[in-house]
């Protein structure tokens, strides 16, 4: 094949972001190469990604040693290492930021997972990370939890770009979009510029199917005769959910609600598709890419899915099609007793816990490294 399908995705208006970050990607020129070869337009990181990068290599050891020498706590060491990486990555992405006039070229860094249910703590951490990295093309990730949403609104109103993470449900997504609009209105009222504020709403996909499929399986186990009807619903909830979110996005950002802000240069808060690697080997490895390609969206993709789509993916403008079927699909789930909003709440709580666990594991490993190094240094 002559052209890489990722380039076609870019032409169709969807931005490819890389769901991975490590020091060597920057120094080896890997990121720069992806910008050229794939049309890469952004990078996302999270505590699980940093845990792999920092504990899975020794490329951070010299910096960890220096941080110990400077008397930093484990949590401060984590922040220094990750903000350094994000700053360097932001510098590599800066030409994309400039070329797209601030639509893309962002690198995302997450506030500590233990702050997910702490509004004031999240605001404070976001301000600190924003100041420490000190680049216009970064986004601070805050989960869209009930306590996260007021923090998101406050930070956006202060001019901090926010990537709202761990979204699984339509109600939650709507709250997040409104928080963005409220923050922009507040800035506008104060006479501040709103054309430079960027935000994405990150919708997680594969985890929805993992959860819903397990519930369907349990129903098949206990049902009498309706198994084939249930069988047809497997592996469809994640994509259906995303299509409904995009429909809601269009209602909000292409409608009257956003018109006035748009007229003074505000950018829409795009939907970002996250958790797009397929968790079930029976399913296509590009099932969260192909049906969800469309304008004004972002997909953040890990290595194996980038490779799979480059190899055998088909790029077409698919996102706005099949919306009717997506509604039917969700209705059918409700009809068999699966409430997608309840699923969304379960997944958000679980997602916060997963990131907190990854962070704990990283902290434990950093502590071990630290003690080993202190023993050598003393």
């Amino acid at each position: 094949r002559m052209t890489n399908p990722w380039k076609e995705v870019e032409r169709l208006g969807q931005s490819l972001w890389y769901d991975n970050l490590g020091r060597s990607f920057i120094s080896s020129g890997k990121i720069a190469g992806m910008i050229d070869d794939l049309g890469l337009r952004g990078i996302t990181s999270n505590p699980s990604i940093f845990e792999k990068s920092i504990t899975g290599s020794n490329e951070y050891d010299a910096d960890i040693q220096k941080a110990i020498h400077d008397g930093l706590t484990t949590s401060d060491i984590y922040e220094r290492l990750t903000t350094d990486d994000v700053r360097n990555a932001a510098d590599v992405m800066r030409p994309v930021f400039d070329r797209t006039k601030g639509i893309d070229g962002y690198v995302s860094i997450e506030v500590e997972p233990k702050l997910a249910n702490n509004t004031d703590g999240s605001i404070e951490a976001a301000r600190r990370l924003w100041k420490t990295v000190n680049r216009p093309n970064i986004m601070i990730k805050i989960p869209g939890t009930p306590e996260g949403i007021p923090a998101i609104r406050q930070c956006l109103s202060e001019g901090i770009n926010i990537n709202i993470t761990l979204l699984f449900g339509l109600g939650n997504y709507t709250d997040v979009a409104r928080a963005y609009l409220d923050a922009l209105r507040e800035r506008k009222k104060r006479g501040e510029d709103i054309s430079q504020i960027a935000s994405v709403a990150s919708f997680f996909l594969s985890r929805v199917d993992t959860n819903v499929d397990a519930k369907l399986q349990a129903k098949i186990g206990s049902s009498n005769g309706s198994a084939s009807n249930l069988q047809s619903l497997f592996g469809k909830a994640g994509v259906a959910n995303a299509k409904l979110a995009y429909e809601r996005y269009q209602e909000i950002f292409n409608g009257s609600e956003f018109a006035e802000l748009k007229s003074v240069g505000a950018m829409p808060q795009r939907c970002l598709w996250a958790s797009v690697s397929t968790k079930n080997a029976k399913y296509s490895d590009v099932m969260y890419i192909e049906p969800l390609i469309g304008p004004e969206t972002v997909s953040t993709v890990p290595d194996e899915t980038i490779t799979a789509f480059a190899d055998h993916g088909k790029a077409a403008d698919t996102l706005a099609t099949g919306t009717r079927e997506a509604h039917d699909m969700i209705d059918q789930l409700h009809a068999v007793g699966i409430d997608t909003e309840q699923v969304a709440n379960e997944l958000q709580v679980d997602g916060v816990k997963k990131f907190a666990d990854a962070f704990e594991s990283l902290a434990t490993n950093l502590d071990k490294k630290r003690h080993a190094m202190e023993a050598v240094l003393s």
Side-chain angles (χ1 to χ4, degrees), residues 111-309:
V111 298
E112 254 190 66
K114 66 167 191 242
L115 298 169
N117 305 315
N118 177 340
T119 303
D120 292 340
S122 295
I123 294 170
E124 199 182 315
R127 286 174 181 152
R128 191 180 64 247
L129 290 170
W130 179 253
K131 220 159 116 176
T132 304
V133 179
N134 191 23
R135 294 293 184 271
N137 59 321
I138 65 158
M139 285 188 179
I140 309 298
K141 278 180 144 180
I142 299 177
T145 56
E147 297 82 3
I149 290 176
I152 288 159
R153 185 192 154 151
Q154 180 59 35
C155 292
L156 285 165
S157 78
E158 292 178 17
I160 299 172
N161 300 322
I162 304 289
N163 173 342
I164 298 96
T165 181
L166 292 175
L167 298 177
F168 300 93
L170 219 49
N172 195 195
Y173 166 65
T174 310
D175 292 343
V176 157
R178 298 262 147 79
Y180 177 65
L181 296 179
D182 288 345
L184 291 183
R185 288 191 194 107
E186 201 174 308
R187 281 183 72 81
K188 185 170 172 280
K189 206 163 72 200
R190 293 197 300 256
E192 292 166 353
D193 181 30
I194 59 171
S195 68
Q196 303 303 304
I197 311 287
S199 179
V200 291
S202 294
F203 236 78
F204 284 54
L205 305 179
S206 63
R207 296 178 190 189
V208 174
D209 283 324
T210 304
N211 180 302
V212 170
D213 285 0
K215 287 182 165 63
L216 288 167
Q217 195 58 55
K219 285 184 187 299
I220 287 176
S222 65
S223 83
N224 32 32
S226 63
S228 63
N229 168 34
L230 293 174
Q231 209 74 54
S232 69
L233 301 176
F234 275 79
K236 302 231 175 89
V239 167
N241 209 18
K243 285 188 184 279
L244 298 194
Y246 187 63
E247 181 185 45
R248 182 69 49 90
Y249 163 84
Q250 288 181 302
E251 286 163 11
I252 295 172
F253 289 99
N254 295 327
S256 54
E257 219 172 337
F258 186 60
E260 192 189 338
L261 293 165
K262 194 177 177 177
S263 70
V264 286
M267 294 189 274
Q269 178 192 56
R270 292 177 296 172
C271 290
L272 176 150
W273 313 131
S275 175
V276 297
S277 64
T278 310
K279 303 285 187 282
N280 184 333
K282 291 204 295 272
Y283 298 154
S284 155
D285 55 4
V286 291
M287 70 181 277
Y288 299 111
I289 308 292
E290 289 184 340
L292 298 174
I293 299 167
E296 294 184 346
T297 55
V298 179
S299 187
T300 187
V301 189
D303 284 288
E304 65 275 21
T305 312
I306 287 181
T307 306
F309 186 79

Side-chain angles (χ1 to χ4, degrees), residues 21 23 50 54 60 77-87 109 129 133 362:
L21 183 57
R23 190 150 291 188
F50 278 128
I54 294 171
Y60 293 84
I77 294 175
Y78 170 80
E79 195 161 296
R80 182 187 284 185
L81 298 177
T82 54
T83 50
D84 281 352
D85 276 5
V86 167
R87 187 181 306 108
I109 180 169
L129 290 170
V133 179
L362 173 65

Side-chain angles (χ1 to χ4, degrees), residues 89-127:
D91 290 342
V92 179
M93 294 308 298
R94 184 60 192 256
V96 177
F97 177 78
D98 293 337
R99 187 180 79 235
T100 61
K101 299 189 171 46
I103 292 172
D104 280 302
Y106 293 94
V107 183
S108 294
I109 180 169
E110 188 137 3
V111 298
E112 254 190 66
K114 66 167 191 242
L115 298 169
N117 305 315
N118 177 340
T119 303
D120 292 340
S122 295
I123 294 170
E124 199 182 315
R127 286 174 181 152

